Amino acid sequence: APWVAERFHPRKENTVEAARPPVVAAAAPSMSATGQPRDLSEVRKRAELGDPYEQVALATRYATGEDVPQDYSSALRWFLKAAEQGHVGAQDTLGAYYYLGRGATKDISRAYFWSVLARAAGKSASKDRVAFMSLQLTRAQAQAIQREANSFLKQHPPLMSSDSAY
């Protein structure tokens, strides 16, 4: 329960320092100029060029099996590319994927890292996941991961888009 985590891991020691304000993208990704969804080849091309929103769009297609065979490993790889650029939704998803062992071996430390980042940007699922996972780590492990997350946030401000489903 969250109150247990609070009691044994006080918030001041578990809270990631505030990051710079999130970068907000203006346009909805994965949509053509006509408002129609982009086809798979267009999404893949843009994802390979480094667009984090298109990377999440492609990852989502692999996760759901839309237009491609369902493949959680490929989904995880594309979510990771976007998360490393600060995409909060991808960070939140990676926290869940690593926690569940979806697309990779279950890894509480990685799950905690990505969930701490998403929590810092306000993702409620990550907030709950962090509270639960903190009970599975030693205090020293949790603090070390949080220091890594603080360092990551200083170099990669959260990237969010209010216009995007990704």
Side-chain angles (χ1 to χ4, degrees), residues 9 76 91-102 104-117 126 128-146 148-149:
H9 300 283
L76 183 127
Q91 293 169 348
D92 185 48
T93 301
L94 282 175
Y97 270 39
Y98 280 118
Y99 181 73
L100 297 170
R102 180 169 282 171
T105 304
K106 183 173 180 171
D107 187 329
I108 298 297
S109 293
R110 285 184 183 183
Y112 191 76
F113 174 80
W114 292 113
S115 295
V116 165
L117 292 174
S126 282
D128 295 339
R129 198 177 314 111
V130 165
F132 180 76
M133 286 187 297
S134 67
L135 300 174
Q136 299 174 44
L137 299 168
T138 67
R139 181 178 297 269
Q141 288 172 320
Q143 289 174 341
I145 294 168
Q146 288 167 4
E148 288 178 51

Side-chain angles (χ1 to χ4, degrees), residues 3 6 13-14 31 44 54 57 77 80 158:
W3 67 269
E6 281 295 321
E13 293 181 35
N14 279 346
M31 300 299 272
R44 185 180 306 281
E54 299 299 338
R77 189 177 70 239
L80 185 59

Side-chain angles (χ1 to χ4, degrees), residues 56 87 93 117 124:
V56 170
H87 191 289
T93 301
L117 292 174
S124 62

Side-chain angles (χ1 to χ4, degrees), residues 6-163:
E6 281 295 321
R7 180 171 181 151
F8 293 106
H9 300 283
R11 183 171 301 279
K12 73 176 190 172
E13 293 181 35
N14 279 346
T15 304
V16 175
E17 299 167 1
R20 289 176 255 165
V23 176
V24 179
S30 291
M31 300 299 272
S32 68
T34 62
Q36 298 297 315
R38 296 194 207 288
D39 68 3
L40 178 62
S41 64
E42 181 74 15
V43 171
R44 185 180 306 281
K45 178 181 174 185
R46 290 171 179 262
E48 289 171 350
L49 290 173
D51 183 319
Y53 294 102
E54 299 299 338
Q55 289 168 343
V56 170
L58 186 56
T60 302
R61 289 184 184 209
Y62 277 113
T64 62
E66 180 186 336
D67 298 330
V68 295
Q70 189 174 38
D71 181 352
Y72 290 121
S73 294
S74 293
L76 183 127
R77 189 177 70 239
W78 285 106
F79 280 129
L80 185 59
K81 288 176 183 286
E84 288 172 341
Q85 294 184 69
H87 191 289
V88 175
Q91 293 169 348
D92 185 48
T93 301
L94 282 175
Y97 270 39
Y98 280 118
Y99 181 73
L100 297 170
R102 180 169 282 171
T105 304
K106 183 173 180 171
D107 187 329
I108 298 297
S109 293
R110 285 184 183 183
Y112 191 76
F113 174 80
W114 292 113
S115 295
V116 165
L117 292 174
R119 178 190 69 179
K123 289 289 189 175
S124 62
S126 282
K127 178 181 175 186
D128 295 339
R129 198 177 314 111
V130 165
F132 180 76
M133 286 187 297
S134 67
L135 300 174
Q136 299 174 44
L137 299 168
T138 67
R139 181 178 297 269
Q141 288 172 320
Q143 289 174 341
I145 294 168
Q146 288 167 4
R147 281 191 297 274
E148 288 178 51
N150 287 334
S151 177
F152 182 93
L153 283 171
K154 288 176 185 173
Q155 296 175 4
H156 306 89
L159 179 64
M160 297 186 290
S161 172
S162 58
D163 297 335

